[in-house]
Amino acid sequence: MGEKLRVTQKIRVGTGDFVELDNVSVYFQIRKGLLKRIFVVRALENINIAIGEHSVLVIVGESGCGKSTLGRVVAGLQPPSHGRLLFRGKDVRSLKGREYREFRRSIQLVHQDPYSSLNPTKTVFDILYSPLKYWGYVKNKDEALEKILELLESVKVTPPEEYIFRYPHQLSGGEKQRIALARALSVKPRFIVADEVISAIDVSLRIDLMNLMIDFWRKYGIGYLFITHELASARYFAELTGGIIAVMYLGRVVEAAPPRKLIFNPLHPYTKALIAATPELLMDLSELRKKKPLPLKSVDIPSATKYIPGCKFNTRCPFADRRCLDEEPMLREVEPGHYVACHKVL
Ligand SMILES: Nc1ncnc2c1ncn2[C@@H]1O[C@H](COP(=O)(O)OP(=O)(O)OP(=O)(O)O)[C@@H](O)[C@H]1O
Ligand SMILES: [Mg+2]
């Protein structure tokens, strides 16, 4: 019974209806094993999120939980198997002509891996010229030069004259990621999906890149879906932008709240385990001493193709009882702005 009745409450991030996921699920069919049998991966299941203009949603979760799939849905690159993606209140599938172009321009994706997202045969100039030309911001290369120098300046790749005719292999990881960010910014988006943009760069440079992105939020009102697997970065980004953190587990959002609430008053056992596994930098030492590590039953995330009845976390949860094995808990708002999907939370 419970398996069929799926009503997860909508997570509201900011106000307004800039972009909205209405009960979105994404399933992939894959072939596995010697017999190449077909399995279904439920990458996302019943995701309900409404994000307002100039708002920030940070997604955190372990590898394979569906973070990139969610980012691709929001950017319009992955059609939902079920449910709808809405842009300013309209189903994206119904958008035509100018409205569809406006959607594609307004939401830009910056990838995890700057090594593969920048074409190695093109110079920085050409990489930034293509979108400017495509979206009609410039007519020709002469006109583009000044704009590209300005863009490089804005992402702090300076002096710009020194970088503009370089190829990606002549840039450091951090510089490549800034060029990828400049490419996204070149079309004047309202919202950026930043998929693990800090993972591939040196730890010492991560804060700088996050600060730069936060500057764009402050100065130009750009909203973000900021994806990371580290709770410490999630907290940093969300706290400085007044954002919400959503914790994902096997294709579901299991908890969502503003950063301080989530970290100092976590409700879901999985969030508690993530916090316990995050080193000291996350919180004051006195706070940390009060927390006892949660003994999980298993450290392994179940295979994405394995069907788990009931709560998807029941194979690892130390509190799982009969109900958790039978019935999947739905995400619900337990206090204003704090959402959790757990039967044990009253
Ligand atoms: N195109 C695809 N075809 C088949 N399976 C896919 C496809 N894309 C993603 N998946 C599967 O969907 C699940 C979610 O993948 P996704 O890339 O969204 O996770 P993620 O949280 O971004 O992981 P990571 O932290 O490793 O980047 C995984 O089990 C993955 O193997
Ligand atoms: Mg990913």
Side-chain angles (χ1 to χ4, degrees):
M1 252 305 278
E3 289 291 319
K4 285 194 188 116
L5 216 144
R6 293 183 180 283
V7 190
T8 68
Q9 238 169 317
K10 188 155 282 173
I11 301 168
R12 298 226 156 257
V13 186
T15 50
D17 61 352
F18 179 70
V19 67
E20 187 170 336
L21 285 87
D22 182 30
N23 230 23
V24 165
S25 300
V26 172
Y27 304 149
F28 296 112
Q29 282 194 347
I30 57 163
R31 286 177 183 275
K32 236 173 73 164
L34 276 177
L35 297 172
K36 297 275 172 235
R37 278 179 53 201
I38 294 180
F39 287 86
V40 175
V41 176
R42 292 163 180 259
L44 291 180
E45 190 93 77
N46 299 99
I47 303 289
N48 283 297
I49 303 174
I51 308 175
E53 192 105 24
H54 189 205
S55 302
V56 173
L57 175 63
V58 177
I59 300 287
V60 65
E62 288 165 292
S63 185
C65 69
K67 304 183 295 296
S68 295
T69 306
L70 181 70
R72 288 173 53 77
V73 169
V74 169
L77 303 172
Q78 169 67 55
S81 311
H82 298 286
R84 301 181 305 160
L85 173 70
L86 306 168
F87 176 65
R88 298 202 161 115
K90 287 189 185 162
D91 190 332
V92 162
R93 279 172 303 193
S94 72
L95 300 180
K96 303 235 158 37
R98 251 186 53 192
E99 274 185 325
Y100 183 71
R101 278 172 63 83
E102 181 61 12
F103 160 68
R104 289 309 297 264
R105 187 189 63 77
S106 299
I107 303 182
Q108 293 291 316
L109 178 82
V110 182
H111 287 281
Q112 189 155 351
D113 181 8
Y115 298 86
S116 60
S117 70
L118 301 181
N119 185 336
T121 66
K122 290 193 165 175
T123 62
V124 167
F125 180 90
D126 287 327
I127 288 168
L128 298 176
Y129 175 64
S130 304
L132 285 171
K133 179 80 173 48
Y134 180 82
W135 291 100
Y137 288 106
V138 297
K139 287 199 195 69
N140 53 45
K141 291 197 169 182
D142 287 341
E143 234 181 88
L145 187 64
E146 200 177 324
K147 278 220 158 55
I148 290 174
L149 289 171
E150 268 171 33
L151 270 169
L152 292 177
E153 195 87 53
S154 73
V155 292
K156 303 207 167 62
V157 173
T158 52
E161 301 79 16
E162 220 169 84
Y163 286 88
I164 193 162
F165 295 116
R166 286 199 193 176
Y167 288 90
H169 74 269
Q170 297 167 316
L171 303 169
S172 72
E175 286 162 356
K176 279 196 198 102
Q177 209 49 303
R178 281 164 194 260
I179 300 301
L181 191 60
R183 179 174 57 187
L185 288 167
S186 67
V187 304
K188 299 190 169 45
R190 300 306 307 143
F191 193 86
I192 291 180
V193 176
D195 186 359
E196 305 240 23
V197 292
I198 56 168
S199 312
I201 63 174
D202 284 349
V203 175
S204 58
L205 302 175
R206 289 182 183 176
I207 294 263
D208 285 348
L209 190 63
M210 283 196 279
N211 286 343
L212 182 67
M213 295 171 69
I214 293 167
D215 269 354
F216 295 129
W217 168 80
R218 208 171 276 130
K219 277 194 222 148
Y220 309 124
I222 291 178
Y224 288 98
L225 181 72
F226 184 83
I227 297 172
T228 173
H229 58 266
E230 295 172 334
L231 203 46
S233 308
R235 177 189 179 179
Y236 186 83
F237 205 88
E239 226 168 84
L240 290 176
T241 53
I244 301 273
I245 301 179
V247 179
M248 286 186 68
Y249 188 77
L250 288 182
R252 278 87 174 155
V253 173
V254 293
E255 185 162 3
R260 289 200 160 259
K261 233 180 206 177
L262 189 98
I263 283 157
F264 296 112
N265 184 25
L267 298 175
H268 197 286
Y270 179 59
T271 314
K272 291 180 186 173
L274 276 186
I275 291 169
T278 307
E280 286 73 5
L281 84 122
L282 193 57
M283 58 189 84
D284 314 330
L285 277 178
S286 58
E287 284 291 334
L288 191 74
R289 272 191 216 108
K290 283 189 236 154
K291 307 249 174 220
K292 289 208 180 71
L294 194 73
L296 292 186
K297 280 199 296 198
S298 150
V299 288
D300 297 323
I301 312 173
S303 151
T305 50
K306 187 172 184 270
Y307 176 71
I308 303 166
C311 175
K312 303 307 144 197
F313 192 55
N314 68 27
T315 58
R316 297 169 80 187
C317 184
F319 310 114
D321 65 11
R322 190 65 228 220
R323 188 177 177 203
C324 308
L325 301 180
D326 289 344
E327 190 188 325
E328 180 166 3
M330 294 290 114
L331 191 74
R332 64 206 157 88
E333 195 171 11
V334 286
E335 54 180 278
H338 198 156
Y339 305 81
V340 67
C342 175
H343 292 311
K344 297 287 172 183
V345 179
L346 299 174

Short mmCIF file of all heavy atoms in Angstrom, two decimals, residues 242-262:
data_model
loop_
_atom_site.label_atom_id
_atom_site.label_comp_id
_atom_site.label_asym_id
_atom_site.label_seq_id
_atom_site.Cartn_x
_atom_site.Cartn_y
_atom_site.Cartn_z
N GLY A 242 22.22 32.30 2.22
CA GLY A 242 20.87 32.12 2.79
C GLY A 242 20.15 30.95 2.13
O GLY A 242 18.92 30.95 2.02
N GLY A 243 20.91 29.96 1.69
CA GLY A 243 20.32 28.84 0.95
C GLY A 243 19.84 27.70 1.82
O GLY A 243 19.91 27.75 3.06
N ILE A 244 19.32 26.68 1.15
CA ILE A 244 18.81 25.47 1.80
C ILE A 244 19.73 24.31 1.40
O ILE A 244 20.16 24.25 0.25
CB ILE A 244 17.39 25.16 1.25
CG1 ILE A 244 16.43 26.30 1.51
CG2 ILE A 244 16.87 23.83 1.76
CD1 ILE A 244 15.74 26.26 2.82
N ILE A 245 19.99 23.41 2.33
CA ILE A 245 20.74 22.20 1.96
C ILE A 245 19.76 21.03 1.88
O ILE A 245 18.95 20.84 2.80
CB ILE A 245 21.83 21.85 3.01
CG1 ILE A 245 22.84 23.00 3.16
CG2 ILE A 245 22.56 20.55 2.61
CD1 ILE A 245 23.94 22.72 4.19
N ALA A 246 19.84 20.27 0.79
CA ALA A 246 19.04 19.05 0.68
C ALA A 246 19.99 17.86 0.64
O ALA A 246 20.95 17.84 -0.14
CB ALA A 246 18.18 19.08 -0.59
N VAL A 247 19.73 16.88 1.51
CA VAL A 247 20.56 15.68 1.57
C VAL A 247 19.88 14.60 0.75
O VAL A 247 18.70 14.31 0.96
CB VAL A 247 20.71 15.19 3.04
CG1 VAL A 247 21.55 13.93 3.11
CG2 VAL A 247 21.32 16.29 3.91
N MET A 248 20.62 14.00 -0.18
CA MET A 248 20.04 12.95 -1.02
C MET A 248 20.58 11.58 -0.66
O MET A 248 21.74 11.43 -0.27
CB MET A 248 20.31 13.23 -2.49
CG MET A 248 19.48 14.36 -3.05
SD MET A 248 19.69 14.56 -4.82
CE MET A 248 18.92 13.05 -5.42
N TYR A 249 19.72 10.58 -0.83
CA TYR A 249 20.13 9.19 -0.62
C TYR A 249 19.36 8.33 -1.61
O TYR A 249 18.12 8.36 -1.63
CB TYR A 249 19.86 8.76 0.82
CG TYR A 249 20.45 7.40 1.13
CD1 TYR A 249 21.82 7.27 1.36
CD2 TYR A 249 19.66 6.25 1.14
CE1 TYR A 249 22.37 6.03 1.62
CE2 TYR A 249 20.22 5.00 1.40
CZ TYR A 249 21.58 4.90 1.64
OH TYR A 249 22.14 3.67 1.88
N LEU A 250 20.07 7.60 -2.44
CA LEU A 250 19.46 6.71 -3.45
C LEU A 250 18.26 7.33 -4.17
O LEU A 250 17.17 6.75 -4.18
CB LEU A 250 19.07 5.37 -2.82
CG LEU A 250 20.22 4.42 -2.45
CD1 LEU A 250 19.67 3.13 -1.87
CD2 LEU A 250 21.11 4.11 -3.64
N GLY A 251 18.47 8.48 -4.77
CA GLY A 251 17.45 9.08 -5.62
C GLY A 251 16.37 9.86 -4.91
O GLY A 251 15.47 10.39 -5.55
N ARG A 252 16.44 9.91 -3.58
CA ARG A 252 15.44 10.66 -2.80
C ARG A 252 16.11 11.80 -2.04
O ARG A 252 17.27 11.69 -1.66
CB ARG A 252 14.81 9.79 -1.72
CG ARG A 252 13.71 8.90 -2.14
CD ARG A 252 14.26 7.62 -2.62
NE ARG A 252 13.20 6.68 -2.90
CZ ARG A 252 13.31 5.67 -3.77
NH1 ARG A 252 14.42 5.49 -4.44
NH2 ARG A 252 12.31 4.85 -3.95
N VAL A 253 15.30 12.83 -1.75
CA VAL A 253 15.75 13.81 -0.77
C VAL A 253 15.29 13.28 0.57
O VAL A 253 14.10 13.02 0.77
CB VAL A 253 15.15 15.21 -1.03
CG1 VAL A 253 15.50 16.17 0.11
CG2 VAL A 253 15.63 15.77 -2.36
N VAL A 254 16.24 13.05 1.51
CA VAL A 254 15.82 12.50 2.81
C VAL A 254 15.69 13.58 3.88
O VAL A 254 15.00 13.40 4.87
CB VAL A 254 16.78 11.37 3.30
CG1 VAL A 254 16.67 10.16 2.38
CG2 VAL A 254 18.21 11.84 3.42
N GLU A 255 16.38 14.71 3.67
CA GLU A 255 16.23 15.81 4.62
C GLU A 255 16.61 17.12 3.92
O GLU A 255 17.51 17.14 3.08
CB GLU A 255 17.13 15.59 5.86
CG GLU A 255 16.93 16.66 6.93
CD GLU A 255 17.45 16.25 8.31
OE1 GLU A 255 18.02 15.15 8.45
OE2 GLU A 255 17.28 17.05 9.25
N ALA A 256 15.93 18.20 4.27
CA ALA A 256 16.29 19.51 3.72
C ALA A 256 15.99 20.58 4.75
O ALA A 256 14.95 20.52 5.44
CB ALA A 256 15.49 19.79 2.44
N ALA A 257 16.92 21.52 4.90
CA ALA A 257 16.75 22.59 5.89
C ALA A 257 17.83 23.65 5.67
O ALA A 257 18.81 23.39 4.98
CB ALA A 257 16.89 22.02 7.31
N PRO A 258 17.68 24.82 6.27
CA PRO A 258 18.77 25.79 6.24
C PRO A 258 19.99 25.18 6.95
O PRO A 258 19.81 24.33 7.83
CB PRO A 258 18.22 26.99 7.02
CG PRO A 258 16.74 26.81 7.02
CD PRO A 258 16.50 25.34 6.97
N PRO A 259 21.22 25.61 6.58
CA PRO A 259 22.43 24.92 7.04
C PRO A 259 22.55 24.75 8.56
O PRO A 259 22.89 23.66 9.03
CB PRO A 259 23.57 25.77 6.49
CG PRO A 259 22.95 27.01 5.97
CD PRO A 259 21.54 26.71 5.68
N ARG A 260 22.27 25.79 9.32
CA ARG A 260 22.47 25.66 10.77
C ARG A 260 21.51 24.64 11.39
O ARG A 260 21.89 23.86 12.25
CB ARG A 260 22.31 27.01 11.47
CG ARG A 260 23.48 27.90 11.15
CD ARG A 260 23.70 29.03 12.10
NE ARG A 260 25.07 29.46 11.92
CZ ARG A 260 26.08 29.14 12.72
NH1 ARG A 260 25.88 28.41 13.78
NH2 ARG A 260 27.30 29.55 12.46
N LYS A 261 20.28 24.68 10.89
CA LYS A 261 19.28 23.72 11.38
C LYS A 261 19.72 22.30 11.05
O LYS A 261 19.66 21.40 11.88
CB LYS A 261 17.96 24.01 10.67
CG LYS A 261 16.82 24.19 11.62
CD LYS A 261 15.56 24.48 10.87
CE LYS A 261 14.65 25.27 11.77
NZ LYS A 261 13.42 25.67 11.16
N LEU A 262 20.16 22.12 9.81
CA LEU A 262 20.52 20.78 9.35
C LEU A 262 21.72 20.23 10.12
O LEU A 262 21.79 19.06 10.46
CB LEU A 262 20.85 20.81 7.85
CG LEU A 262 21.02 19.44 7.24
CD1 LEU A 262 19.73 19.00 6.55
CD2 LEU A 262 22.17 19.39 6.27
#
